[in-house]
Amino acid sequence: MFNKRLRELRVQHKCTQQYMADLLGVTLNAYQKYEQAERTPSFAALIQLADFFNVSTDFLLGRDDYLKAQGNMDCSDGEV
């Protein structure tokens, strides 16, 4: 569930996998493995993702379907 929600949020926000990898301070390959469910992020990275996408960690992990209200932010709005 985490990998699907992560990919959906990234695409919704028009972010590239490279952008997300840079944001988290991991390699592109490591980030891609998050989306392929071959690797899990650290707790710190999970919190960073939740903060970036303005969702709860429970939402990312599939424990909650509640999606916080989202603004119009996307990756083209700023730098890493």
Side-chain angles (χ1 to χ4, degrees):
M1 179 65 77
F2 167 76
N3 63 313
K4 291 178 183 177
R5 290 209 167 158
L6 180 60
R7 184 178 190 292
E8 288 170 4
L9 287 167
R10 178 182 59 79
V11 170
Q12 263 182 357
H13 287 81
K14 302 175 186 169
C15 299
T16 64
Q17 289 181 331
Q18 184 64 62
Y19 182 93
M20 297 306 300
D22 292 344
L23 177 78
L24 297 173
V26 299
T27 65
L28 174 60
N29 185 263
Y31 179 81
Q32 288 170 332
K33 289 183 185 237
Y34 295 161
E35 288 193 7
Q36 295 165 359
E38 294 177 12
R39 184 174 174 169
T40 56
S42 66
F43 290 126
L46 182 64
I47 292 167
Q48 191 173 4
L49 287 165
D51 289 346
F52 179 78
F53 290 124
N54 192 31
V55 297
S56 68
T57 54
D58 278 352
F59 177 82
L60 281 175
L61 295 172
R63 295 173 42 97
D64 187 359
D65 289 333
Y66 175 72
L67 186 59
K68 292 181 184 177
Q70 294 193 10
N72 295 327
M73 191 285 300
D74 64 39
C75 287
S76 61
D77 289 341
E79 295 183 25
V80 175

